[in-house]
Amino acid sequence: MKRIALFISLFCISAFFLSLSAQSRNVINTTSTERTVITNSNNSSGNNVDIWQQLEQERLAAEKAEQERIEAEKRAEQERIEAEQKAEQERLAAEKAKQERIAAEKAEQERLAAEKKAEQERLAAEKKAEQERLAAEKKAEQERLAAEKKAEQERLAAEKKAEQQRLAAEKAEQKRIADSIETVAKEKLQAQKLVHKDSVKQARKERIASYPWTNIVLFNGSYALYPEYAVGITYARVKQGGFYLSAMMNPAKPIIKGDYDADSKGAINGVTPFYSGNHVSTRLSATFGTLIRMRAPVYFYLGAGYGYRGVFYETSEKQMVAWHTPNTIYHGMHWEAGLMGNIKGFGISLGVSSITDFHNLYYEAKLGIGFCVSKKNKK
């Protein structure tokens, strides 16, 4: 900042001297003009030579005085600049002396810190050596105690091992005696189990043999949620296990194929006929399956076969149309499962059946009521 201020001062002084030079040139020009005027006047009059000389001398004296004034101002400005430079040098010298003093103080502090650090390191080394000595003594004492403890443990372990071997020998002898007793008991128990198992098998065979063959005839009815109905008959023959046959159809006249086939929108070859609103449902199925006696007198039945379902719609011209939608016409595997019972000669069954072509499913509940005829075993 001080250098910038010095530079600004020099710039201002230079500008001042330039303005003085311009004023001097103006004075000289003015004097020259006056001299020209006076000369012209003298030429015209011829009698003013002395006046002109006097004016010329005054002009020269004024110029000389102006130059002396300028030189005096220059000398004063130079002296001021020299004084400022000297003051700046003295200030820089003072700052340098201050920095040297600060550096000397810093060096002294570093020396003291180095001495303090050396003292601390010496004390730390002495402390570390003392700690290492104590640690070595402690370790030696611990090793001695550990050696004594290990020797004592080995002695106790040897005594314990000898005791365990003695007890193991006694236990082995006891186990041998117990094993021989257990072997005899197992052989005896195995013989008893074989006798019991044979008796159980024989009892089961006798119990199954005591079951009479039962013939079951049921009249079935089924209902689907569309809604739709079907009726049929079931014949079963069962003892512990058995078989059954079942056939179902709807009460109305079955129709297998219509007069026309319509698409999913009811159109025949792109033309939608007029429908009367009447429809006919066809339901046919035949299944064969097995029965398993669960608990007298209830049997579980499971069967499979073939099933067909079709819904045909009547047109205004009394023609039947097979309208192919996902729930109208399909056929495929028919399966069913349920329970069948024999209650004092009265037969009943309850189950569920379905037709599936792996694209559509048709479920229905199936109920059967009939009679049972049991053939008594000969004694």
Side-chain angles (χ1 to χ4, degrees):
M1 292 298 291
K2 291 181 178 180
R3 290 181 180 179
I4 294 171
L6 181 60
F7 177 77
I8 293 172
S9 301
L10 292 173
F11 178 77
C12 294
I13 292 168
S14 300
F16 176 73
F17 282 118
L18 289 174
S19 65
L20 290 177
S21 298
Q23 290 176 2
S24 299
R25 284 194 299 269
N26 291 332
V27 171
I28 292 170
N29 292 332
T30 303
T31 307
S32 298
T33 303
E34 290 176 354
R35 186 179 61 184
T36 302
V37 172
I38 293 169
T39 303
N40 292 331
S41 177
N42 288 333
N43 288 331
S44 63
S45 62
N47 295 320
N48 297 323
V49 174
D50 293 335
I51 295 170
W52 180 83
Q53 290 178 352
Q54 185 177 357
L55 292 172
E56 184 66 19
Q57 290 176 355
E58 291 176 356
R59 185 186 62 78
L60 292 174
E63 290 180 356
K64 185 177 180 181
E66 182 66 22
Q67 290 177 354
E68 289 176 354
R69 185 182 64 78
I70 293 170
E71 289 177 357
E73 290 179 353
K74 284 177 76 175
R75 283 194 300 274
E77 185 64 24
Q78 288 176 355
E79 290 175 357
R80 186 181 65 76
I81 292 171
E82 290 174 357
E84 290 180 354
Q85 291 177 351
K86 185 177 180 181
E88 181 67 18
Q89 290 174 356
E90 290 176 353
R91 186 185 63 76
L92 293 174
E95 289 181 356
K96 185 176 180 182
K98 183 179 179 181
Q99 291 176 354
E100 290 176 353
R101 181 178 60 78
I102 293 171
E105 291 177 354
K106 185 176 180 181
E108 181 65 17
Q109 291 176 354
E110 290 177 351
R111 183 185 66 78
L112 293 174
E115 290 179 356
K116 186 177 180 180
K117 184 178 180 181
E119 181 66 17
Q120 290 175 349
E121 290 176 351
R122 183 184 66 79
L123 294 173
E126 291 179 356
K127 185 177 180 181
K128 184 178 179 181
E130 181 66 18
Q131 289 176 348
E132 289 176 352
R133 183 184 65 79
L134 294 174
E137 292 178 356
K138 185 177 180 180
K139 184 177 179 181
E141 182 66 18
Q142 289 175 349
E143 289 176 351
R144 183 183 65 80
L145 294 173
E148 292 179 356
K149 186 177 180 180
K150 184 177 179 181
E152 182 66 18
Q153 288 176 349
E154 289 176 353
R155 183 183 64 79
L156 293 174
E159 292 178 357
K160 185 177 180 180
K161 185 176 180 181
E163 182 67 18
Q164 288 176 349
Q165 288 176 353
R166 184 183 65 79
L167 294 174
E170 292 179 357
K171 187 176 181 179
E173 181 65 19
Q174 292 175 357
K175 187 174 185 299
R176 184 184 65 78
I177 296 171
D179 287 343
S180 62
I181 296 172
E182 187 178 356
T183 302
V184 174
K186 282 183 177 180
E187 290 176 355
K188 186 177 180 181
L189 182 62
Q190 187 67 25
Q192 291 176 355
K193 283 184 177 180
L194 290 174
V195 172
H196 178 69
K197 188 176 181 180
D198 291 340
S199 64
V200 170
K201 286 184 178 179
Q202 185 63 29
R204 185 170 180 272
K205 288 181 179 180
E206 291 177 357
R207 186 178 71 253
I208 293 173
S210 66
Y211 294 156
W213 280 102
T214 302
N215 297 300
I216 303 173
V217 178
L218 300 174
F219 299 97
N220 301 312
S222 64
Y223 174 74
L225 296 178
Y226 286 100
E228 210 165 72
Y229 303 89
V231 295
I233 189 169
T234 298
Y235 169 74
R237 180 173 175 80
V238 62
K239 191 175 183 180
Q240 175 66 18
F243 68 92
Y244 79 95
L245 295 169
S246 179
M248 300 287 292
M249 66 179 294
N250 63 326
K253 181 181 178 181
I255 298 176
I256 304 300
K257 182 175 178 58
D259 298 322
Y260 296 99
D261 289 335
D263 57 18
S264 60
K265 296 181 179 180
I268 302 173
N269 297 325
V271 179
T272 303
F274 292 98
Y275 290 96
S276 65
N278 298 324
H279 70 278
V280 176
S281 297
T282 298
R283 171 72 176 87
L284 299 173
S285 67
T287 55
F288 172 80
T290 183
L291 284 88
I292 298 174
R293 184 187 183 99
M294 296 178 64
R295 187 172 182 180
V298 179
Y299 308 93
F300 171 77
Y301 72 89
L302 177 67
Y306 176 80
Y308 173 84
R309 177 180 182 267
V311 181
F312 300 89
Y313 295 89
E314 184 184 54
T315 66
S316 59
E317 297 177 357
K318 304 298 181 179
Q319 294 175 332
M320 304 307 294
V321 177
W323 190 340
H324 290 275
T325 63
N327 294 318
T328 55
I329 297 177
Y330 50 89
H331 58 88
M333 185 183 71
H334 179 272
W335 62 266
E336 61 182 1
L339 297 175
M340 195 177 296
N342 176 13
I343 304 173
K344 296 182 180 180
F346 179 75
I348 187 171
S349 68
L350 180 63
V352 63
S353 63
S354 174
I355 302 174
T356 176
D357 59 359
F358 302 103
H359 297 286
N360 303 287
L361 289 174
Y362 172 84
Y363 293 99
E364 61 184 3
K366 185 176 179 182
L367 175 66
I369 298 174
F371 59 90
C372 302
V373 177
S374 299
K375 184 180 179 182
K376 296 183 179 179
N377 297 323
K378 295 181 181 180
K379 296 183 179 180

